[in-house]
Amino acid sequence: MKLEHLDFERPVRDRPGNGPVRACVAEAVRKHQAGWLRTNPAQETAALTRISSVTRH
């Protein structure tokens, strides 16, 4: 993926700071994650169980 005008939010440069880049990265991660979860149902169940247990506390 090639991104123009990539700015970072913090000095450690670990998070994209401008809106268009953040949206593009978020969409790419969502698509990849959804595909991975569909092909790995056991890990999907484990992840969802862990997420639901964390959000209850």
Side-chain angles (χ1 to χ4, degrees):
M1 174 185 321
K2 182 178 178 183
L3 304 170
E4 294 181 24
H5 309 294
L6 181 60
D7 296 325
F8 289 93
E9 195 169 281
R10 300 187 290 192
V12 293
R13 298 181 179 267
D14 65 346
R15 186 185 327 174
N18 54 353
V21 171
R22 189 184 310 239
C24 179
V25 170
E27 181 63 23
V29 169
R30 257 191 303 277
K31 285 180 180 179
H32 178 75
Q33 184 179 26
W36 185 85
L37 289 171
R38 279 193 297 275
T39 59
N40 296 283
Q43 287 85 354
E44 176 184 24
T45 302
L48 293 175
T49 300
R50 184 170 180 181
I51 290 168
S52 66
S53 71
V54 169
T55 58
R56 284 188 227 150
H57 292 102

PDB file of all heavy atoms in Angstrom, residues 26-43:
ATOM      1  N   ALA A  26      -7.481   1.380   8.642  1.00  0.00           N
ATOM      2  CA  ALA A  26      -8.543   0.692   9.383  1.00  0.00           C
ATOM      3  C   ALA A  26      -9.348  -0.214   8.460  1.00  0.00           C
ATOM      4  O   ALA A  26      -9.669  -1.354   8.817  1.00  0.00           O
ATOM      5  CB  ALA A  26      -9.453   1.703  10.068  1.00  0.00           C
ATOM      6  N   GLU A  27      -9.673   0.260   7.271  1.00  0.00           N
ATOM      7  CA  GLU A  27     -10.430  -0.551   6.318  1.00  0.00           C
ATOM      8  C   GLU A  27      -9.630  -1.765   5.873  1.00  0.00           C
ATOM      9  O   GLU A  27     -10.157  -2.873   5.785  1.00  0.00           O
ATOM     10  CB  GLU A  27     -10.833   0.294   5.115  1.00  0.00           C
ATOM     11  CG  GLU A  27     -11.637  -0.458   4.083  1.00  0.00           C
ATOM     12  CD  GLU A  27     -12.980  -0.960   4.593  1.00  0.00           C
ATOM     13  OE1 GLU A  27     -13.512  -0.413   5.574  1.00  0.00           O
ATOM     14  OE2 GLU A  27     -13.496  -1.938   4.015  1.00  0.00           O
ATOM     15  N   ALA A  28      -8.351  -1.587   5.607  1.00  0.00           N
ATOM     16  CA  ALA A  28      -7.506  -2.715   5.197  1.00  0.00           C
ATOM     17  C   ALA A  28      -7.418  -3.761   6.309  1.00  0.00           C
ATOM     18  O   ALA A  28      -7.503  -4.963   6.049  1.00  0.00           O
ATOM     19  CB  ALA A  28      -6.113  -2.214   4.821  1.00  0.00           C
ATOM     20  N   VAL A  29      -7.270  -3.312   7.536  1.00  0.00           N
ATOM     21  CA  VAL A  29      -7.190  -4.241   8.674  1.00  0.00           C
ATOM     22  C   VAL A  29      -8.517  -4.971   8.846  1.00  0.00           C
ATOM     23  O   VAL A  29      -8.549  -6.184   9.066  1.00  0.00           O
ATOM     24  CB  VAL A  29      -6.791  -3.493   9.968  1.00  0.00           C
ATOM     25  CG1 VAL A  29      -6.972  -4.379  11.189  1.00  0.00           C
ATOM     26  CG2 VAL A  29      -5.358  -2.997   9.867  1.00  0.00           C
ATOM     27  N   ARG A  30      -9.638  -4.246   8.748  1.00  0.00           N
ATOM     28  CA  ARG A  30     -10.963  -4.877   8.870  1.00  0.00           C
ATOM     29  C   ARG A  30     -11.159  -5.981   7.839  1.00  0.00           C
ATOM     30  O   ARG A  30     -11.621  -7.074   8.168  1.00  0.00           O
ATOM     31  CB  ARG A  30     -12.065  -3.835   8.706  1.00  0.00           C
ATOM     32  CG  ARG A  30     -12.721  -3.406   9.980  1.00  0.00           C
ATOM     33  CD  ARG A  30     -13.964  -2.579   9.740  1.00  0.00           C
ATOM     34  NE  ARG A  30     -13.739  -1.388   8.944  1.00  0.00           N
ATOM     35  CZ  ARG A  30     -13.295  -0.236   9.415  1.00  0.00           C
ATOM     36  NH1 ARG A  30     -13.024  -0.118  10.697  1.00  0.00           N
ATOM     37  NH2 ARG A  30     -13.132   0.798   8.631  1.00  0.00           N
ATOM     38  N   LYS A  31     -10.809  -5.696   6.586  1.00  0.00           N
ATOM     39  CA  LYS A  31     -10.984  -6.691   5.522  1.00  0.00           C
ATOM     40  C   LYS A  31     -10.117  -7.920   5.774  1.00  0.00           C
ATOM     41  O   LYS A  31     -10.575  -9.053   5.642  1.00  0.00           O
ATOM     42  CB  LYS A  31     -10.635  -6.085   4.170  1.00  0.00           C
ATOM     43  CG  LYS A  31     -11.685  -5.148   3.652  1.00  0.00           C
ATOM     44  CD  LYS A  31     -11.282  -4.583   2.310  1.00  0.00           C
ATOM     45  CE  LYS A  31     -12.330  -3.627   1.781  1.00  0.00           C
ATOM     46  NZ  LYS A  31     -11.935  -3.054   0.489  1.00  0.00           N
ATOM     47  N   HIS A  32      -8.862  -7.702   6.117  1.00  0.00           N
ATOM     48  CA  HIS A  32      -7.958  -8.830   6.363  1.00  0.00           C
ATOM     49  C   HIS A  32      -8.424  -9.639   7.573  1.00  0.00           C
ATOM     50  O   HIS A  32      -8.447 -10.871   7.534  1.00  0.00           O
ATOM     51  CB  HIS A  32      -6.532  -8.331   6.574  1.00  0.00           C
ATOM     52  CG  HIS A  32      -5.573  -9.434   6.867  1.00  0.00           C
ATOM     53  ND1 HIS A  32      -5.105 -10.294   5.900  1.00  0.00           N
ATOM     54  CD2 HIS A  32      -5.023  -9.845   8.030  1.00  0.00           C
ATOM     55  CE1 HIS A  32      -4.303 -11.172   6.453  1.00  0.00           C
ATOM     56  NE2 HIS A  32      -4.230 -10.927   7.746  1.00  0.00           N
ATOM     57  N   GLN A  33      -8.808  -8.953   8.623  1.00  0.00           N
ATOM     58  CA  GLN A  33      -9.235  -9.634   9.840  1.00  0.00           C
ATOM     59  C   GLN A  33     -10.498 -10.453   9.600  1.00  0.00           C
ATOM     60  O   GLN A  33     -10.600 -11.588  10.059  1.00  0.00           O
ATOM     61  CB  GLN A  33      -9.472  -8.619  10.952  1.00  0.00           C
ATOM     62  CG  GLN A  33      -9.830  -9.249  12.272  1.00  0.00           C
ATOM     63  CD  GLN A  33     -10.035  -8.207  13.348  1.00  0.00           C
ATOM     64  OE1 GLN A  33     -10.370  -7.070  13.064  1.00  0.00           O
ATOM     65  NE2 GLN A  33      -9.847  -8.592  14.579  1.00  0.00           N
ATOM     66  N   ALA A  34     -11.442  -9.911   8.877  1.00  0.00           N
ATOM     67  CA  ALA A  34     -12.682 -10.646   8.591  1.00  0.00           C
ATOM     68  C   ALA A  34     -12.386 -11.915   7.803  1.00  0.00           C
ATOM     69  O   ALA A  34     -12.927 -12.989   8.104  1.00  0.00           O
ATOM     70  CB  ALA A  34     -13.658  -9.755   7.835  1.00  0.00           C
ATOM     71  N   GLY A  35     -11.522 -11.813   6.809  1.00  0.00           N
ATOM     72  CA  GLY A  35     -11.154 -12.997   6.032  1.00  0.00           C
ATOM     73  C   GLY A  35     -10.439 -14.032   6.874  1.00  0.00           C
ATOM     74  O   GLY A  35     -10.703 -15.236   6.764  1.00  0.00           O
ATOM     75  N   TRP A  36      -9.545 -13.576   7.721  1.00  0.00           N
ATOM     76  CA  TRP A  36      -8.805 -14.507   8.582  1.00  0.00           C
ATOM     77  C   TRP A  36      -9.758 -15.213   9.543  1.00  0.00           C
ATOM     78  O   TRP A  36      -9.663 -16.421   9.747  1.00  0.00           O
ATOM     79  CB  TRP A  36      -7.729 -13.754   9.361  1.00  0.00           C
ATOM     80  CG  TRP A  36      -6.875 -14.677  10.169  1.00  0.00           C
ATOM     81  CD1 TRP A  36      -5.779 -15.355   9.751  1.00  0.00           C
ATOM     82  CD2 TRP A  36      -7.076 -15.034  11.536  1.00  0.00           C
ATOM     83  NE1 TRP A  36      -5.270 -16.108  10.782  1.00  0.00           N
ATOM     84  CE2 TRP A  36      -6.061 -15.932  11.898  1.00  0.00           C
ATOM     85  CE3 TRP A  36      -8.021 -14.682  12.499  1.00  0.00           C
ATOM     86  CZ2 TRP A  36      -5.955 -16.484  13.158  1.00  0.00           C
ATOM     87  CZ3 TRP A  36      -7.916 -15.235  13.766  1.00  0.00           C
ATOM     88  CH2 TRP A  36      -6.894 -16.134  14.080  1.00  0.00           C
ATOM     89  N   LEU A  37     -10.696 -14.459  10.127  1.00  0.00           N
ATOM     90  CA  LEU A  37     -11.628 -15.066  11.070  1.00  0.00           C
ATOM     91  C   LEU A  37     -12.517 -16.104  10.386  1.00  0.00           C
ATOM     92  O   LEU A  37     -12.821 -17.145  10.974  1.00  0.00           O
ATOM     93  CB  LEU A  37     -12.486 -13.991  11.743  1.00  0.00           C
ATOM     94  CG  LEU A  37     -11.744 -13.102  12.739  1.00  0.00           C
ATOM     95  CD1 LEU A  37     -12.632 -11.949  13.182  1.00  0.00           C
ATOM     96  CD2 LEU A  37     -11.251 -13.894  13.932  1.00  0.00           C
ATOM     97  N   ARG A  38     -12.920 -15.845   9.151  1.00  0.00           N
ATOM     98  CA  ARG A  38     -13.754 -16.818   8.424  1.00  0.00           C
ATOM     99  C   ARG A  38     -12.996 -18.116   8.155  1.00  0.00           C
ATOM    100  O   ARG A  38     -13.590 -19.188   8.152  1.00  0.00           O
ATOM    101  CB  ARG A  38     -14.238 -16.230   7.100  1.00  0.00           C
ATOM    102  CG  ARG A  38     -15.431 -15.319   7.250  1.00  0.00           C
ATOM    103  CD  ARG A  38     -16.064 -15.005   5.903  1.00  0.00           C
ATOM    104  NE  ARG A  38     -15.166 -14.283   5.002  1.00  0.00           N
ATOM    105  CZ  ARG A  38     -14.999 -12.969   4.994  1.00  0.00           C
ATOM    106  NH1 ARG A  38     -15.647 -12.224   5.845  1.00  0.00           N
ATOM    107  NH2 ARG A  38     -14.173 -12.407   4.141  1.00  0.00           N
ATOM    108  N   THR A  39     -11.709 -18.027   7.935  1.00  0.00           N
ATOM    109  CA  THR A  39     -10.941 -19.233   7.623  1.00  0.00           C
ATOM    110  C   THR A  39     -10.360 -19.911   8.865  1.00  0.00           C
ATOM    111  O   THR A  39      -9.780 -20.990   8.752  1.00  0.00           O
ATOM    112  CB  THR A  39      -9.784 -18.909   6.644  1.00  0.00           C
ATOM    113  OG1 THR A  39      -8.932 -17.938   7.231  1.00  0.00           O
ATOM    114  CG2 THR A  39     -10.322 -18.409   5.322  1.00  0.00           C
ATOM    115  N   ASN A  40     -10.525 -19.303  10.028  1.00  0.00           N
ATOM    116  CA  ASN A  40     -10.016 -19.858  11.288  1.00  0.00           C
ATOM    117  C   ASN A  40     -11.108 -19.805  12.360  1.00  0.00           C
ATOM    118  O   ASN A  40     -11.018 -19.036  13.319  1.00  0.00           O
ATOM    119  CB  ASN A  40      -8.787 -19.057  11.752  1.00  0.00           C
ATOM    120  CG  ASN A  40      -7.647 -19.179  10.776  1.00  0.00           C
ATOM    121  OD1 ASN A  40      -6.965 -20.194  10.735  1.00  0.00           O
ATOM    122  ND2 ASN A  40      -7.448 -18.152   9.962  1.00  0.00           N
ATOM    123  N   PRO A  41     -12.148 -20.622  12.213  1.00  0.00           N
ATOM    124  CA  PRO A  41     -13.292 -20.531  13.130  1.00  0.00           C
ATOM    125  C   PRO A  41     -12.945 -20.819  14.600  1.00  0.00           C
ATOM    126  O   PRO A  41     -13.539 -20.215  15.496  1.00  0.00           O
ATOM    127  CB  PRO A  41     -14.297 -21.536  12.588  1.00  0.00           C
ATOM    128  CG  PRO A  41     -13.528 -22.425  11.671  1.00  0.00           C
ATOM    129  CD  PRO A  41     -12.338 -21.643  11.203  1.00  0.00           C
ATOM    130  N   ALA A  42     -12.004 -21.691  14.858  1.00  0.00           N
ATOM    131  CA  ALA A  42     -11.644 -21.983  16.255  1.00  0.00           C
ATOM    132  C   ALA A  42     -11.018 -20.754  16.913  1.00  0.00           C
ATOM    133  O   ALA A  42     -11.347 -20.409  18.055  1.00  0.00           O
ATOM    134  CB  ALA A  42     -10.692 -23.171  16.331  1.00  0.00           C
ATOM    135  N   GLN A  43     -10.121 -20.084  16.187  1.00  0.00           N
ATOM    136  CA  GLN A  43      -9.497 -18.880  16.724  1.00  0.00           C
ATOM    137  C   GLN A  43     -10.524 -17.753  16.849  1.00  0.00           C
ATOM    138  O   GLN A  43     -10.445 -16.948  17.763  1.00  0.00           O
ATOM    139  CB  GLN A  43      -8.324 -18.433  15.848  1.00  0.00           C
ATOM    140  CG  GLN A  43      -7.111 -19.312  15.987  1.00  0.00           C
ATOM    141  CD  GLN A  43      -7.157 -20.534  15.074  1.00  0.00           C
ATOM    142  OE1 GLN A  43      -8.136 -20.808  14.395  1.00  0.00           O
ATOM    143  NE2 GLN A  43      -6.080 -21.295  15.065  1.00  0.00           N
TER     144      GLN A  43
END
